[in-house]
Amino acid sequence: GMGGPEERVAIWNRANGRKIAGSAAPFARNIDAYLAKHPECEVYRGQDKMPRVTRPARPILPSGQQQGSGAVGVQLQQIAPPHLQQQQQQ
């Protein structure tokens, strides 16, 4: 079952795709402080066994090219044929 505050919580590092467990993992009582210090980490829930859904759909552009990146999706929808637009709206 669930252990107490002395139990170690396995961590998933999204930045490098690695699991942190065992003696390297933080204690349950320290988990909030640990996650605050390591924003790229989250509690491990089998991320390495899941299909990779955390990947962004399109490549992340180098900083400096991100102006107007929010408008790209709008332009694509305007260009798309009407039957494609209807599918997206459902």
Side-chain angles (χ1 to χ4, degrees), residues 15 28 55 89:
R55 271 213 178 138
Q89 286 166 2

Side-chain angles (χ1 to χ4, degrees), residues 68-82:
S69 63
V72 173
V74 177
Q75 290 169 353
L76 287 176
Q77 284 181 346
Q78 289 169 351
I79 298 165

Side-chain angles (χ1 to χ4, degrees), residues 13-28:
N13 185 322
R14 291 187 300 266
N16 59 18
R18 297 177 91 158
K19 180 181 173 183
I20 303 164
S23 58
F27 288 111

Side-chain angles (χ1 to χ4, degrees), residues 42-75:
E42 60 190 33
V43 175
Y44 174 76
R45 301 186 192 87
Q47 280 88 337
D48 54 355
K49 299 176 182 64
M50 292 184 202
R52 270 178 287 211
V53 291
T54 52
R55 271 213 178 138
R58 55 169 193 256
I60 298 167
L61 299 172
S63 57
Q65 294 182 18
Q66 285 188 345
Q67 298 95 332
S69 63
V72 173
V74 177
Q75 290 169 353

